[in-house]
Amino acid sequence: MRRTLALALLTMSTLLVAVLGGCASNSASAALAVGAGPAPESALLGHLYAAALRYYGTPAVVTETDGSLGVLDSGSVIVQPGFTGRFLTRLDPAATARADEQVYRDLVSALPEGVAAGDYTMSAQDKPALVVAEATATAWGGTDLSALRRNCAQARPGAVVGSSVPEAVGSCTLPKAVTFADDKSLFAALRAGKINAAWSTTADPAIPSDLTVLADKTALIRGENVVPLYRRNTLNERQVLALNEIAGVLDTGSLADMRRQVAEGKDPGAVADEFLQSNPLGH
């Protein structure tokens, strides 16, 4: 009798372990995959949208991808954050839209049938930007890109090697940028007068405070606003809401600050979690 009872208890224990193990496995497999490209900024965005999903109760994990739309087609991830202009350029290299809203509209029209776009961040962007010294801004007569157009022949741009920069700004076709190893050497060359304009981006935390970023008030450079793309018919209303609400709390200054923290060695997931704690969704 005792032996029979012991065997029964052992069998029940084994079944319980199997059931619990199966539940854990199912729970892990149910986590929604959010894509993040190899670049630190892409990893930050992946963690930010994953944190938003978790904020509304959806388990989510960040999966490293190449950042392309193909990862959504294959189903390896369900959400792939990125930037409107870069996505549009991949889908339609001949697209001419530059203003933020039109870039987003053209992107939505160009998306493959099985892919949808969430709300884009109207206040957060990271597009190419020209940085000049104060003396150059004074000589050119302004701190807007229209000043560059008026002084196009005098422009001597530089850029960090490997960065993607526009060949033209409006009607001003620029000479090929002199390349530098990193931001530090780029901005040092700008201060030394070896170049008189440095290509950076609007959310680059490395831009020194004593230099001037030329504003783009008339959309001479294509918009690059943060946007989440996702597989159609895979997310419920609450999950789509979670993605869309990032657009209401993220701005360029916050993006630059988070990029700075990641560049200083902080974990992107921790940075994203702290941002949402300070900027709660749904408010």
Side-chain angles (χ1 to χ4, degrees), residues 9-254:
L9 290 172
L10 179 61
T11 301
M12 290 175 65
S13 176
T14 302
L15 287 172
L16 181 60
V17 169
V19 169
L20 290 175
C23 288
S25 177
N26 289 338
S27 175
S29 63
L32 196 151
V34 179
E41 185 175 40
S42 183
L44 175 63
L45 293 181
H47 281 284
L48 187 60
Y49 280 96
L53 287 163
R54 291 193 295 269
Y55 188 93
Y56 277 100
T58 297
V61 294
V62 175
T63 301
E64 184 172 333
T65 71
D66 60 4
S68 71
L69 293 173
V71 296
L72 291 170
D73 292 333
S74 68
S76 57
V77 299
I78 302 301
V79 179
Q80 178 64 58
F83 293 90
T84 52
R86 294 169 212 178
F87 280 138
L88 178 59
T89 300
R90 293 174 192 172
L91 290 168
D92 183 5
T96 58
R98 295 198 302 262
D100 294 354
E101 185 176 357
Q102 191 58 54
V103 171
Y104 177 73
R105 288 179 178 177
D106 287 2
L107 169 62
V108 170
S109 298
L111 288 173
E113 186 176 346
V115 179
D119 292 348
Y120 74 96
T121 57
M122 298 177 67
S123 299
Q125 61 175 320
D126 194 18
K127 69 178 184 178
L130 270 178
V131 182
V132 299
E134 184 178 348
T136 299
T138 300
W140 285 1
T143 57
D144 185 83
L145 281 174
S146 58
L148 170 69
R149 287 192 302 175
R150 294 192 300 270
N151 297 272
C152 185
Q154 284 75 47
R156 293 177 285 112
V160 172
V161 63
S163 58
S164 178
V165 299
E167 295 178 355
V169 176
S171 59
C172 175
T173 299
L174 293 165
K176 185 176 181 180
V178 179
T179 55
F180 298 87
D182 50 35
D183 280 330
K184 184 177 180 180
S185 55
L186 171 68
F187 294 125
L190 180 62
R191 287 195 180 99
K194 296 178 181 178
I195 56 174
N196 61 4
W199 278 113
S200 184
T201 65
T202 51
D204 184 358
I207 299 174
S209 59
D210 62 314
L211 298 177
T212 300
V213 179
L214 295 181
D216 187 12
K217 298 176 182 177
T218 54
L220 294 175
I221 297 175
R222 173 171 288 176
E224 294 287 1
N225 301 80
V226 179
V227 66
L229 303 184
Y230 60 91
R231 284 176 62 88
R232 288 188 183 275
N233 305 317
T234 56
L235 302 181
N236 59 39
E237 289 184 11
R238 181 179 289 271
Q239 290 166 337
V240 173
L241 175 66
L243 300 180
N244 287 343
E245 287 200 351
I246 290 294
V249 297
L250 186 63
D251 58 29
T252 302
S254 298

